[in-house]
Amino acid sequence: LDLVRYPELKTLPPTNPSSQATLPRANMSKPILFKCDVSANSVSTIAFNAYSEMKCEEKFVDLLKGESRTKEFIAMNPMHVCPTLKLSDDVAVWESNAILRYMGNATKKGYPADLVQRAKVDMILDYRQCGLYPAVSKVAYPLLGFAGAATAEETKKNKEALEVEIKNCADAFLKEGKFLGGNAEPTIADFSIVSALEFAKVVKGIKIDSRVTEYLERFYKAVPVWAKSAGICQGYVKGQLEKQ
């Protein structure tokens, strides 16, 4: 998420100044997660950092102040996006699903060791980026102020397409078991998919498949840290929905 791409983010809620980004220090003792709390992509990594007890230090990147565009940040991440996970003075990883995979490997939580089960988790992560999230962003971004306004006709069309895609997600991945792919416990795939669905809530009157709403309740109950980790994002989404 980047302010240059989304100048309308001037409505971001306030954050704790003490957690704002500073340059990574030398001889860092633990990874640093650079985040933007309103971003669905950041939310998945913030929540999994807490859930997995990886205990990465978290630093808020103030897009309004151009902190993702500084010379130092670009040296760390030339794509200047959040989230970014700084692993050492010379190594950083970005893209939320790559960060989730790293965290899952590092903590041995939420990312199955069995190759078949892991492949299924990876499949859902790829689907999220290539199938679900494009459908979410197409209708939600204009409503969130992240893209130019859409016409009523465009919004209706994109809303209906998202409803179909959410049903497709349920058909493919919620056939059995509590969580995506039939898993008994949440995996990093759940964190990624649920974060995308947080943005879908900005679409007024959207009809979400009942299997998905029931799944969300199971996930929230199983991952109590989600409420705090996603709080700013959820508050922003709610505020934008109320403006419609």
Side-chain angles (χ1 to χ4, degrees):
L1 198 63
D2 191 278
L3 185 61
V4 173
R5 299 179 193 176
Y6 312 123
E8 295 85 353
L9 279 177
K10 293 180 180 179
T11 54
L12 279 173
T15 55
N16 181 0
S18 64
S19 68
Q20 292 182 355
T22 57
L23 295 183
R25 58 193 180 280
N27 302 317
M28 48 192 288
S29 60
K30 58 183 176 180
I32 303 173
L33 179 63
F34 290 85
K35 62 177 184 172
C36 177
D37 299 72
V38 77
S39 161
N41 294 318
S42 283
V43 164
S44 64
T45 61
I46 296 167
F48 195 73
N49 183 36
Y51 177 77
S52 67
E53 299 184 336
M54 183 160 177
K55 299 179 181 178
C56 295
E57 182 178 349
E58 295 182 6
K59 292 288 186 179
F60 170 70
V61 180
D62 193 334
L63 301 180
L64 296 177
K65 294 181 179 178
E67 288 183 351
S68 68
R69 290 282 179 159
T70 65
K71 187 183 300 183
E72 294 83 1
F73 194 95
I74 290 174
M76 174 181 66
N77 175 354
M79 301 302 290
H80 48 77
V81 293
C82 286
T84 293
L85 183 64
K86 181 130 181 112
L87 300 173
S88 69
D89 290 335
D90 302 316
V91 179
V93 177
W94 54 94
E95 296 299 333
S96 59
N97 285 347
I99 293 172
L100 288 172
R101 288 182 175 103
Y102 180 88
M103 288 179 168
N105 278 320
T107 62
K108 301 188 185 306
K109 192 166 185 177
Y111 199 25
D114 179 83
L115 291 180
V116 172
Q117 293 303 315
R118 177 169 289 211
K120 289 181 178 180
V121 169
D122 287 335
M123 174 177 65
I124 297 170
L125 290 172
D126 289 348
Y127 161 74
R128 190 267 197 189
Q129 299 300 76
C130 301
L132 180 62
Y133 199 72
V136 170
S137 61
K138 198 166 186 178
V139 62
Y141 273 23
L143 300 172
L144 291 166
F146 298 170
T151 66
E153 183 178 349
E154 289 171 334
T155 299
K156 181 177 183 294
K157 177 183 176 182
N158 293 334
K159 171 186 168 185
E160 291 171 350
L162 176 57
E163 290 172 342
V164 170
E165 195 57 57
I166 291 174
K167 182 180 182 299
N168 290 342
C169 181
D171 289 341
F173 305 122
L174 286 175
K175 291 181 180 179
E176 55 186 37
K178 284 186 174 182
F179 301 101
L180 294 169
N183 289 290
E185 300 292 335
T187 71
I188 56 175
D190 295 284
F191 283 77
S192 187
I193 291 285
V194 173
S195 68
L197 293 174
E198 293 293 357
F199 271 2
K201 294 176 183 177
V202 79
V203 183
K204 190 172 183 178
I206 188 169
K207 297 175 183 176
I208 296 180
D209 189 290
S210 61
R211 292 168 295 174
V212 175
T213 57
E214 291 167 4
Y215 157 71
L216 287 173
E217 290 304 314
R218 289 196 300 274
F219 177 83
Y220 294 147
K221 184 176 180 180
V223 185
V225 297
W226 190 266
K228 181 178 179 181
S229 300
I232 291 176
C233 176
Q234 291 175 333
Y236 181 74
V237 168
K238 181 179 179 182
Q240 295 301 108
L241 176 62
E242 291 172 349
K243 290 179 181 179
Q244 294 175 45

